[in-house]
Amino acid sequence: DSGVTQTPKHLITATGQRVTLRCSPRSGDLSVYWYQQSLDQGLQFLIHYYNGEERAKGNILERFSAQQFPDLHSELNLSSLELGDSALYFCASSVEGWGPIQYFGAGTRLSVL
Amino acid sequence: ELKVEQNPLFLSMQEGKNYTIYCNYSTTSDRLYWYRQDPGKSLESLFVLLSNGAVKQEGRLMASLDTKARLSTLHITAAVHDLSATYFCAVGNQGGKLIFGQGTELSVKP
């Protein structure tokens, strides 16, 4: 158990809908990262938050947004869902510093039908 | 744009044999990570390599980093079935993000 908690584990929804994925980082970690894993794109970085502020953005679609709250949990919002958004979404957390280990949660498997 | 390439992508090994997975990356970085992923599971951190020449070992796995060649290797010694998994290397980039390789699917057969 990495200490990173993601909910829900599975999500099935329809095209055009909006969903929210939730992540609680390890105790004491201020950084939260979101990644998408799919068969065709592999593991792709989406976004990084540190203590409530956005630090870095990857190839995140405009339909996707994220935030980190004062209690450090983070939410990834996916809207106007398309079939191609079906993937495994991972959250990771780390301490601050050079080369910290990112600890990954169990992931949320999103299926868009 | 930073690219990370692993080879081989698929590796079928016999128990007891040795093999090496290679990870090449395209731009300068001195933060290299190895992760393991079992089917349908999360990613488990194996090694973090933070300097040129760094070598780390854990059980039958040994990882090394050559920043000048932009190459990391993951060496498997006397493979056992429990090592069957997908192994990813990742390079640390600006803002803390990790750029992952495609993954190497390792299957160890008796």
Side-chain angles (χ1 to χ4, degrees):
Chain A
D1 184 0
S2 67
V4 179
T5 304
Q6 287 188 248
T7 56
K9 289 188 177 177
H10 302 278
L11 205 46
I12 302 173
T13 188
T15 55
Q17 295 298 305
R18 173 189 168 95
V19 297
T20 297
L21 281 51
R22 183 188 168 103
C23 169
S24 294
R26 293 188 322 150
S27 177
D29 286 357
L30 299 181
S31 275
V32 169
Y33 312 80
W34 286 97
Y35 293 87
Q36 179 194 59
Q37 185 176 33
S38 61
L39 283 175
D40 54 343
Q41 299 288 329
L43 263 164
Q44 296 230 314
F45 168 78
L46 295 178
I47 199 161
H48 169 205
Y49 275 86
Y50 173 75
N51 202 22
E53 292 189 6
E54 182 185 303
R55 271 281 177 93
K57 233 173 182 176
N59 295 327
I60 187 167
L61 299 171
E62 284 191 10
R63 300 184 285 109
F64 296 1
S65 65
Q67 53 185 326
Q68 186 179 26
F69 294 88
D71 67 352
L72 300 177
H73 92 271
S74 178
E75 293 182 354
L76 180 66
N77 300 296
L78 314 176
S79 62
S80 303
L81 285 168
E82 302 176 359
L83 296 177
D85 298 327
S86 296
L88 196 49
Y89 291 85
F90 286 110
C91 165
S93 76
S94 75
V95 297
E96 183 63 349
W98 183 254
I101 295 173
Q102 292 185 21
Y103 294 91
F104 281 72
T108 294
R109 183 169 294 281
L110 174 66
S111 298
V112 182
L113 306 179
Chain B
E1 182 188 340
L2 174 59
K3 290 187 178 179
V4 182
E5 293 190 349
Q6 290 181 233
N7 74 84
L9 299 184
F10 298 93
L11 182 52
S12 181
M13 297 176 63
Q14 281 198 310
E15 279 191 332
K17 299 291 187 183
N18 304 334
Y19 211 85
T20 300
I21 299 170
Y22 297 89
C23 174
N24 289 90
Y25 53 98
S26 60
T27 63
T28 302
S29 175
D30 53 7
R31 289 173 286 160
L32 195 293
Y33 302 77
W34 285 96
Y35 283 87
R36 168 183 170 144
Q37 186 179 35
D38 291 299
K41 303 291 185 183
S42 185
L43 285 88
E44 174 192 352
S45 175
L46 296 174
F47 301 108
V48 182
L49 303 168
L50 298 177
S51 61
N52 186 40
V55 177
K56 290 196 174 178
Q57 183 163 5
E58 181 75 33
R60 300 174 188 274
L61 301 177
M62 183 173 72
S64 66
L65 178 62
D66 180 344
T67 58
K68 292 177 182 168
R70 299 177 188 164
L71 171 68
S72 179
T73 60
L74 181 66
H75 187 73
I76 303 155
T77 302
V80 293
H81 179 69
D82 285 351
L83 289 179
S84 297
T86 298
Y87 293 84
F88 290 93
C89 67
V91 175
N93 207 348
Q94 294 174 357
K97 65 183 179 183
L98 296 182
I99 307 298
F100 282 87
Q102 312 97 307
T104 296
E105 188 177 327
L106 172 65
S107 174
V108 182
K109 302 183 186 304

